[in-house]
C-alpha cells in the first residue's frame, strides 16, 4: 500500500488543487521558451530542436500529472515534492534557449532531476515494500535511468552526436508506456491494471495545459503589439491573432473536452485510453498552438509584407496541426473521422500555397476564415440535428452509457 497520508482518500471527488495550478505557472514560461526558440530559428533544424524541447517539457509535466492523479497534494510531503519539481522545471526552462549549446548540462540535469527524483520518491518513500505501487514506480524509474544514460551522453557530446543520442533517449522515454515499462527477466502480471485514472481530475489537468498554451499565445501577441507602432494594419493583425486563438479555444472547449472526459470514464481500458488520447495526442494539440502563436507574432510584426516560405509555413501549419490533432483525438476515442476538422487542416495548407505571396495579414485572415468555417459548419450540423429532434453526440453517449 501507499504510505499513509500521501495518497488521495478513496472515494473522494478529485479536482484540481491550488498547488497544481501553482505548479503549472512554471510551464507558462516553458511554453514561451519553446515558441521563442522556434521564432528565433525558423529552419528545419530550429523546428526539430523546438520539437525536442517541447517533448521534454511535456514529458516532465505529464508524469507529474499522473502522479498527482493518485497522491494527495494537500499532504505537506507531497507539497514539498511539487515545489522541488517546480524549481527544477524553472531551471530547465531557463536553460532552454541554449539547450543545444552551452546550457545542455543544466537543461538535461534539471530534466533528470525531475524524472528520476520524482520516481525515487514514489518508489522508496510513497510506497511500502513489496507493493504494487513500489513495483510499478520502480519499473518507471528503471526506464528513466536507462534513458538518462543517453541524455547525459548527449549533453557531453556535441553537434550531430548530441542530437542522435537525445533522440535515442526520447525514444526510450516515450516508448516506456507503450511497453508497459517491461524489464527483461522480470515478469509483471498486473499490466495496465496497475495504473488507475481518476477521470475528472485527469481530463481537467490536460485541459488546463491547453489553456496554458493558449495563454502563452495571448501573452506573445500582447507583447508583440506593445512594442510596435499601433497603426491600422498592426491593430488589424492583433485582432486577427486574438480571434485565431479564440477559435482554437472554441474548437476544444465547446464540447470536445466534455465528450472526451465522458468517453474516458466509460472506456473499457481507461489506462490505455488515457495514455493514447491524453499523454500522447495532447502534445500534438499543444504543438499546433505553439506554432500558431509564432505565426501570430510574425503577422503582427509584418502585417503588410509578403512572408518568406518559412514564415508562411508557421502561419498555416499551426492551425493545420491543431485541427489534425483533433481528428486523431476523435479517431482514438470514437474510431470515427472528424471530416470537417480534417478538411479544415487541408484548407489551411492550401491557403499557404495559394496565398503564399499575399501580405501577411491577408494570409492570416484566410486562416481565420478557415477556422471560423469549421466552427460554423459544426454549429450548422448541430442546429439541424436539434431541429430534427435528434440527440447531440453527448446525449447519445449518455444514452449508450445508460
Amino acid at each position: 500500500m501507499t504510505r499513509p497520508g500521501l495518497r488521495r482518500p478513496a472515494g473522494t471527488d478529485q479536482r484540481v488543487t491550488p498547488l497544481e495550478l501553482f505548479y503549472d505557472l512554471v510551464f507558462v514560461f516553458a511554453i514561451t521558451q519553446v515558441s521563442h526558440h522556434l521564432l528565433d530559428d525558423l529552419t528545419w533544424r530550429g523546428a526539430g530542436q523546438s520539437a525536442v524541447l517541447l517533448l521534454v517539457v511535456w514529458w516532465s509535466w505529464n508524469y507529474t500529472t499522473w502522479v498527482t492523479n493518485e497522491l494527495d497534494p494537500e499532504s505537506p510531503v507531497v507539497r514539498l515534492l511539487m515545489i522541488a519539481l517546480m524549481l527544477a522545471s524553472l531551471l530547465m526552462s531557463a536553460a532552454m534557449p541554449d539547450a543545444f549549446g552551452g546550457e545542455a548540462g543544466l537543461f538535461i540535469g534539471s530534466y533528470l532531476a525531475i524524472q528520476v527524483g520524482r520516481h525515487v520518491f514514489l518508489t522508496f518513500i510513497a510506497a511500502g515494500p513489496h507493493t504494487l505501487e513500489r513495483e510499478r514506480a520502480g519499473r518507471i524509474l528503471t526506464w528513466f535511468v536507462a534513458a538518462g544514460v543517453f541524455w547525459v551522453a548527449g549533453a557531453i557530446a556535441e553537434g550531430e552526436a548530441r542530437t542522435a543520442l537525445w533522440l535515442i533517449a526520447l525514444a526510450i522515454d516515450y516508448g516506456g508506456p507503450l511497453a508497459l515499462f517491461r524489464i527483461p527477466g522480470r515478469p509483471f502480471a498486473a499490466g495496465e491494471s496497475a495504473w488507475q485514472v481518476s477521470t475528472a481530475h485527469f481530463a481537467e489537468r490536460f485541459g488546463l495545459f491547453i489553456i496554458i498554451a493558449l495563454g502563452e499565445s495571448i501573452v506573445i501577441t500582447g507583447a508583440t503589439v506593445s512594442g510596435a507602432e499601433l497603426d491600422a494594419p498592426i491593430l488589424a493583425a492583433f485582432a486577427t491573432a486574438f480571434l485565431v486563438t479564440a477559435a482554437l479555444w472554441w474548437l476544444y472547449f465547446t464540447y470536445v473536452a466534455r465528450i472526451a472526459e465522458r468517453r474516458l470514464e466509460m472506456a473499457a481500458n481507461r489506462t490505455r485510453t488515457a495514455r493514447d488520447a491524453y499523454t500522447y495526442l495532447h502534445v500534438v494539440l499543444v504543438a499546433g498552438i505553439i506554432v500558431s502563436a509564432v505565426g501570430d507574432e510574425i503577422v503582427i510584426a509584418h502585417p503588410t509584407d509578403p512572408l518568406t516560405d518559412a514564415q508562411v509555413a508557421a502561419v498555416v501549419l499551426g492551425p493545420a496541426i491543431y485541427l489534425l490533432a483533433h481528428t486523431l483525438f476523435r479517431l482514438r476515442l470514437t474510431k470515427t473521422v472528424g471530416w470537417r476538422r480534417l478538411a479544415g487542416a487541408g484548407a489551411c495548407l492550401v491557403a499557404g500555397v495559394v496565398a503564399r505571396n499575399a501580405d501577411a495579414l491577408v494570409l492570416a485572415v484566410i486562416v481565420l476564415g478557415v477556422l471560423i468555417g469549421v466552427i460554423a459548419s459544426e454549429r450548422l450540423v448541430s442546429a439541424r440535428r436539434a431541429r430534427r429532434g435528434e440527440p447531440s453526440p453527448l446525449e447519445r453517449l449518455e444514452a449508450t452509457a445508460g
Side-chain angles (χ1 to χ4, degrees):
M1 61 182 294
T2 305
R3 301 288 188 190
L6 298 182
R7 194 179 185 86
R8 291 178 184 265
T12 59
D13 185 20
Q14 300 182 23
R15 306 305 299 186
V16 173
T17 64
L19 176 62
E20 291 170 290
L21 297 175
F22 182 48
Y23 169 77
D24 283 351
L25 292 177
V26 174
F27 290 88
V28 177
F29 177 49
I31 294 300
T32 301
Q33 293 285 67
V34 174
S35 63
H36 284 169
H37 189 279
L38 178 58
L39 185 63
D40 291 341
D41 189 4
L42 275 178
T43 63
W44 286 112
R45 184 195 68 172
Q49 290 182 351
S50 298
V52 170
L53 295 178
L54 174 60
L55 291 173
V56 168
V57 167
W58 177 258
W59 219 231
S60 66
W61 179 88
N62 163 69
Y63 271 89
T64 303
T65 296
W66 279 83
V67 168
T68 55
N69 196 247
E70 295 187 7
L71 297 186
D72 182 8
E74 300 302 322
S75 163
V77 178
V78 175
R79 286 187 170 189
L80 290 174
L81 170 68
M82 293 286 284
I83 290 171
L85 294 177
M86 285 181 67
L87 177 58
S89 300
L90 192 60
L91 289 171
M92 180 182 71
S93 302
M96 284 168 62
D98 200 25
F100 287 86
E103 299 296 342
L106 177 59
F107 177 69
I108 293 305
S110 300
Y111 174 68
L112 291 179
I114 295 166
Q115 304 291 56
V116 175
R118 183 203 311 107
H119 275 75
V120 165
F121 173 87
L122 287 177
T123 305
F124 300 107
I125 298 176
H130 311 296
T131 60
L132 175 62
E133 290 82 7
R134 175 167 289 189
E135 173 69 16
R136 70 185 185 188
R139 285 172 174 270
I140 299 174
L141 177 60
T142 301
W143 276 71
F144 278 141
V145 171
V149 173
F150 293 94
W151 285 119
V152 172
I156 296 172
E158 295 181 354
E160 293 181 359
R162 170 176 293 170
T163 301
L165 289 165
W166 280 3
L167 289 177
I168 294 172
L170 266 181
I172 295 172
D173 273 351
Y174 274 74
L178 293 174
L180 296 181
F181 304 100
R182 293 185 180 90
I183 299 175
R186 188 169 178 176
F188 187 43
E192 290 170 339
S193 63
W195 288 269
Q196 301 297 323
V197 177
S198 175
T199 306
H201 175 264
F202 191 83
E204 187 178 7
R205 292 294 291 125
F206 280 82
L208 285 172
F209 202 95
I210 297 296
I211 289 291
I212 289 173
L214 291 171
E216 186 275 337
S217 181
I218 295 292
V219 168
I220 200 171
T221 299
T224 304
V225 170
S226 67
E229 183 179 346
L230 299 182
D231 55 17
I234 287 181
L235 288 175
F238 169 70
T240 302
F242 171 76
L243 291 175
V244 166
T245 303
L248 300 183
W249 171 86
W250 189 294
L251 286 163
Y252 184 87
F253 287 100
T254 298
Y255 66 87
V256 168
R258 287 177 292 168
I259 292 177
E261 179 182 335
R262 192 70 178 101
R263 284 197 172 273
L264 176 61
E265 185 178 5
M266 295 169 56
N269 190 326
R270 191 180 296 173
T271 300
R272 184 182 302 173
T273 302
R275 179 197 68 189
D276 296 347
Y278 287 88
T279 291
Y280 286 128
L281 286 179
H282 266 60
V283 70
V284 187
L285 290 167
V286 173
I289 295 171
I290 290 174
V291 177
S292 181
V294 170
D296 289 343
E297 182 163 354
I298 291 170
V299 172
I300 292 172
H302 311 283
T304 58
D305 299 328
L307 302 177
T308 65
D309 288 346
Q311 291 172 330
V312 169
V315 173
V316 302
L317 277 179
I321 292 170
Y322 187 75
L323 290 169
L324 177 60
H326 272 272
T327 305
L328 296 174
F329 187 47
R330 172 173 171 170
L331 182 63
R332 175 59 186 86
L333 288 174
T334 70
K335 296 181 174 58
T336 62
V337 178
W339 292 109
R340 284 177 290 276
R341 300 195 181 200
L342 183 60
C348 289
L349 298 179
V350 170
V353 175
V354 174
R356 59 180 297 186
N357 295 319
D359 290 350
L361 179 56
V362 173
L363 179 61
V365 169
I366 294 173
V367 171
L368 174 60
V370 170
L371 295 175
I372 293 174
V374 172
I375 293 171
S377 66
E378 292 180 346
R379 295 296 298 173
L380 180 61
V381 169
S382 177
R384 287 175 176 173
R385 184 190 301 116
R387 285 198 299 270
R388 293 193 299 265
E390 297 175 358
S392 68
L394 185 58
E395 289 169 341
R396 287 200 304 268
L397 187 61
E398 295 293 349
T400 302

